[in-house]
PDB file of all heavy atoms in Angstrom:
ATOM      1  N   ALA T  51      -3.508 -20.260  16.790  1.00 83.00           N
ATOM      2  CA  ALA T  51      -3.480 -19.065  15.928  1.00 83.00           C
ATOM      3  C   ALA T  51      -2.299 -18.171  16.305  1.00 83.00           C
ATOM      4  O   ALA T  51      -1.640 -17.603  15.431  1.00 83.00           O
ATOM      5  CB  ALA T  51      -4.788 -18.290  16.042  1.00 83.00           C
ATOM      6  N   PHE T  52      -2.032 -18.063  17.594  1.00 83.00           N
ATOM      7  CA  PHE T  52      -0.872 -17.295  18.042  1.00 83.00           C
ATOM      8  C   PHE T  52       0.416 -17.905  17.494  1.00 83.00           C
ATOM      9  O   PHE T  52       1.252 -17.213  16.923  1.00 83.00           O
ATOM     10  CB  PHE T  52      -0.822 -17.235  19.568  1.00 83.00           C
ATOM     11  CG  PHE T  52       0.510 -16.804  20.104  1.00 83.00           C
ATOM     12  CD1 PHE T  52       0.920 -15.488  20.002  1.00 83.00           C
ATOM     13  CD2 PHE T  52       1.364 -17.729  20.687  1.00 83.00           C
ATOM     14  CE1 PHE T  52       2.166 -15.088  20.485  1.00 83.00           C
ATOM     15  CE2 PHE T  52       2.604 -17.342  21.169  1.00 83.00           C
ATOM     16  CZ  PHE T  52       3.006 -16.017  21.065  1.00 83.00           C
ATOM     17  N   LEU T  53       0.575 -19.225  17.652  1.00 87.00           N
ATOM     18  CA  LEU T  53       1.792 -19.891  17.181  1.00 87.00           C
ATOM     19  C   LEU T  53       1.964 -19.739  15.673  1.00 87.00           C
ATOM     20  O   LEU T  53       3.084 -19.599  15.179  1.00 87.00           O
ATOM     21  CB  LEU T  53       1.772 -21.372  17.554  1.00 87.00           C
ATOM     22  CG  LEU T  53       1.903 -21.699  19.037  1.00 87.00           C
ATOM     23  CD1 LEU T  53       1.801 -23.204  19.254  1.00 87.00           C
ATOM     24  CD2 LEU T  53       3.191 -21.156  19.618  1.00 87.00           C
ATOM     25  N   ALA T  54       0.862 -19.742  14.938  1.00 87.00           N
ATOM     26  CA  ALA T  54       0.924 -19.593  13.482  1.00 87.00           C
ATOM     27  C   ALA T  54       1.358 -18.189  13.060  1.00 87.00           C
ATOM     28  O   ALA T  54       1.818 -17.994  11.938  1.00 87.00           O
ATOM     29  CB  ALA T  54      -0.432 -19.926  12.861  1.00 87.00           C
ATOM     30  N   SER T  55       1.233 -17.220  13.962  1.00 83.00           N
ATOM     31  CA  SER T  55       1.536 -15.832  13.601  1.00 83.00           C
ATOM     32  C   SER T  55       2.930 -15.376  14.035  1.00 83.00           C
ATOM     33  O   SER T  55       3.325 -14.267  13.719  1.00 83.00           O
ATOM     34  CB  SER T  55       0.486 -14.904  14.203  1.00 83.00           C
ATOM     35  OG  SER T  55       0.569 -14.933  15.605  1.00 83.00           O
ATOM     36  N   VAL T  56       3.674 -16.233  14.738  1.00 86.00           N
ATOM     37  CA  VAL T  56       5.017 -15.854  15.182  1.00 86.00           C
ATOM     38  C   VAL T  56       6.066 -16.641  14.400  1.00 86.00           C
ATOM     39  O   VAL T  56       5.756 -17.630  13.733  1.00 86.00           O
ATOM     40  CB  VAL T  56       5.214 -16.075  16.705  1.00 86.00           C
ATOM     41  CG1 VAL T  56       4.258 -15.206  17.502  1.00 86.00           C
ATOM     42  CG2 VAL T  56       5.053 -17.535  17.083  1.00 86.00           C
ATOM     43  N   HIS T  57       7.292 -16.196  14.479  1.00 91.00           N
ATOM     44  CA  HIS T  57       8.398 -16.869  13.810  1.00 91.00           C
ATOM     45  C   HIS T  57       8.475 -18.314  14.305  1.00 91.00           C
ATOM     46  O   HIS T  57       8.254 -18.577  15.497  1.00 91.00           O
ATOM     47  CB  HIS T  57       9.703 -16.120  14.130  1.00 91.00           C
ATOM     48  CG  HIS T  57      10.858 -16.590  13.331  1.00 91.00           C
ATOM     49  ND1 HIS T  57      11.588 -17.702  13.676  1.00 91.00           N
ATOM     50  CD2 HIS T  57      11.411 -16.100  12.192  1.00 91.00           C
ATOM     51  CE1 HIS T  57      12.552 -17.880  12.785  1.00 91.00           C
ATOM     52  NE2 HIS T  57      12.469 -16.911  11.872  1.00 91.00           N
ATOM     53  N   PRO T  58       8.798 -19.265  13.414  1.00 92.00           N
ATOM     54  CA  PRO T  58       8.859 -20.672  13.822  1.00 92.00           C
ATOM     55  C   PRO T  58       9.786 -20.933  15.017  1.00 92.00           C
ATOM     56  O   PRO T  58       9.476 -21.774  15.865  1.00 92.00           O
ATOM     57  CB  PRO T  58       9.375 -21.391  12.567  1.00 92.00           C
ATOM     58  CG  PRO T  58       8.921 -20.521  11.439  1.00 92.00           C
ATOM     59  CD  PRO T  58       8.998 -19.111  11.975  1.00 92.00           C
ATOM     60  N   MET T  59      10.894 -20.216  15.115  1.00 92.00           N
ATOM     61  CA  MET T  59      11.794 -20.414  16.258  1.00 92.00           C
ATOM     62  C   MET T  59      11.104 -19.998  17.557  1.00 92.00           C
ATOM     63  O   MET T  59      11.234 -20.664  18.577  1.00 92.00           O
ATOM     64  CB  MET T  59      13.087 -19.621  16.079  1.00 92.00           C
ATOM     65  CG  MET T  59      14.120 -19.894  17.168  1.00 92.00           C
ATOM     66  SD  MET T  59      15.644 -18.958  16.929  1.00 92.00           S
ATOM     67  CE  MET T  59      16.275 -19.753  15.458  1.00 92.00           C
ATOM     68  N   THR T  60      10.347 -18.917  17.493  1.00 91.00           N
ATOM     69  CA  THR T  60       9.589 -18.477  18.667  1.00 91.00           C
ATOM     70  C   THR T  60       8.520 -19.501  19.019  1.00 91.00           C
ATOM     71  O   THR T  60       8.333 -19.831  20.191  1.00 91.00           O
ATOM     72  CB  THR T  60       8.953 -17.102  18.417  1.00 91.00           C
ATOM     73  OG1 THR T  60       9.996 -16.161  18.113  1.00 91.00           O
ATOM     74  CG2 THR T  60       8.155 -16.629  19.610  1.00 91.00           C
ATOM     75  N   ALA T  61       7.833 -20.010  18.001  1.00 89.00           N
ATOM     76  CA  ALA T  61       6.791 -21.019  18.243  1.00 89.00           C
ATOM     77  C   ALA T  61       7.398 -22.255  18.919  1.00 89.00           C
ATOM     78  O   ALA T  61       6.811 -22.812  19.852  1.00 89.00           O
ATOM     79  CB  ALA T  61       6.099 -21.388  16.941  1.00 89.00           C
ATOM     80  N   ASN T  62       8.569 -22.675  18.459  1.00 90.00           N
ATOM     81  CA  ASN T  62       9.229 -23.831  19.071  1.00 90.00           C
ATOM     82  C   ASN T  62       9.564 -23.562  20.527  1.00 90.00           C
ATOM     83  O   ASN T  62       9.421 -24.428  21.382  1.00 90.00           O
ATOM     84  CB  ASN T  62      10.493 -24.208  18.289  1.00 90.00           C
ATOM     85  CG  ASN T  62      10.184 -24.853  16.973  1.00 90.00           C
ATOM     86  OD1 ASN T  62       9.103 -25.407  16.783  1.00 90.00           O
ATOM     87  ND2 ASN T  62      11.106 -24.767  16.038  1.00 90.00           N
ATOM     88  N   ARG T  63      10.029 -22.376  20.826  1.00 91.00           N
ATOM     89  CA  ARG T  63      10.356 -22.020  22.212  1.00 91.00           C
ATOM     90  C   ARG T  63       9.116 -21.996  23.086  1.00 91.00           C
ATOM     91  O   ARG T  63       9.174 -22.349  24.264  1.00 91.00           O
ATOM     92  CB  ARG T  63      11.060 -20.672  22.263  1.00 91.00           C
ATOM     93  CG  ARG T  63      12.460 -20.709  21.738  1.00 91.00           C
ATOM     94  CD  ARG T  63      13.102 -19.351  21.830  1.00 91.00           C
ATOM     95  NE  ARG T  63      14.454 -19.402  21.342  1.00 91.00           N
ATOM     96  CZ  ARG T  63      15.191 -18.340  21.093  1.00 91.00           C
ATOM     97  NH1 ARG T  63      14.693 -17.132  21.299  1.00 91.00           N
ATOM     98  NH2 ARG T  63      16.404 -18.460  20.634  1.00 91.00           N
ATOM     99  N   CYS T  64       8.005 -21.578  22.528  1.00 86.00           N
ATOM    100  CA  CYS T  64       6.756 -21.535  23.303  1.00 86.00           C
ATOM    101  C   CYS T  64       6.269 -22.921  23.670  1.00 86.00           C
ATOM    102  O   CYS T  64       5.579 -23.080  24.672  1.00 86.00           O
ATOM    103  CB  CYS T  64       5.675 -20.808  22.507  1.00 86.00           C
ATOM    104  SG  CYS T  64       5.950 -19.051  22.305  1.00 86.00           S
ATOM    105  N   ASN T  65       6.601 -23.895  22.882  1.00 78.00           N
ATOM    106  CA  ASN T  65       6.107 -25.265  23.114  1.00 78.00           C
ATOM    107  C   ASN T  65       7.057 -26.109  23.948  1.00 78.00           C
ATOM    108  O   ASN T  65       6.753 -27.252  24.224  1.00 78.00           O
ATOM    109  CB  ASN T  65       5.830 -25.970  21.785  1.00 78.00           C
ATOM    110  CG  ASN T  65       4.533 -25.510  21.192  1.00 78.00           C
ATOM    111  OD1 ASN T  65       3.581 -25.228  21.904  1.00 78.00           O
ATOM    112  ND2 ASN T  65       4.475 -25.422  19.880  1.00 78.00           N
ATOM    113  N   ARG T  66       8.187 -25.560  24.351  1.00 73.00           N
ATOM    114  CA  ARG T  66       9.113 -26.310  25.208  1.00 73.00           C
ATOM    115  C   ARG T  66       8.653 -26.278  26.646  1.00 73.00           C
ATOM    116  O   ARG T  66       8.166 -25.250  27.107  1.00 73.00           O
ATOM    117  CB  ARG T  66      10.515 -25.717  25.125  1.00 73.00           C
ATOM    118  CG  ARG T  66      11.265 -26.170  23.906  1.00 73.00           C
ATOM    119  CD  ARG T  66      12.708 -25.821  24.040  1.00 73.00           C
ATOM    120  NE  ARG T  66      12.900 -24.532  23.365  1.00 73.00           N
ATOM    121  CZ  ARG T  66      14.009 -23.842  23.406  1.00 73.00           C
ATOM    122  NH1 ARG T  66      15.025 -24.247  24.115  1.00 73.00           N
ATOM    123  NH2 ARG T  66      14.128 -22.707  22.769  1.00 73.00           N
TER     124      ARG T  66
END
Side-chain angles (χ1 to χ4, degrees):
F52 164 73
L53 291 177
S55 65
V56 298
H57 189 278
M59 186 180 292
T60 301
N62 287 337
R63 288 181 179 168
C64 291
N65 282 325
R66 279 193 265 172

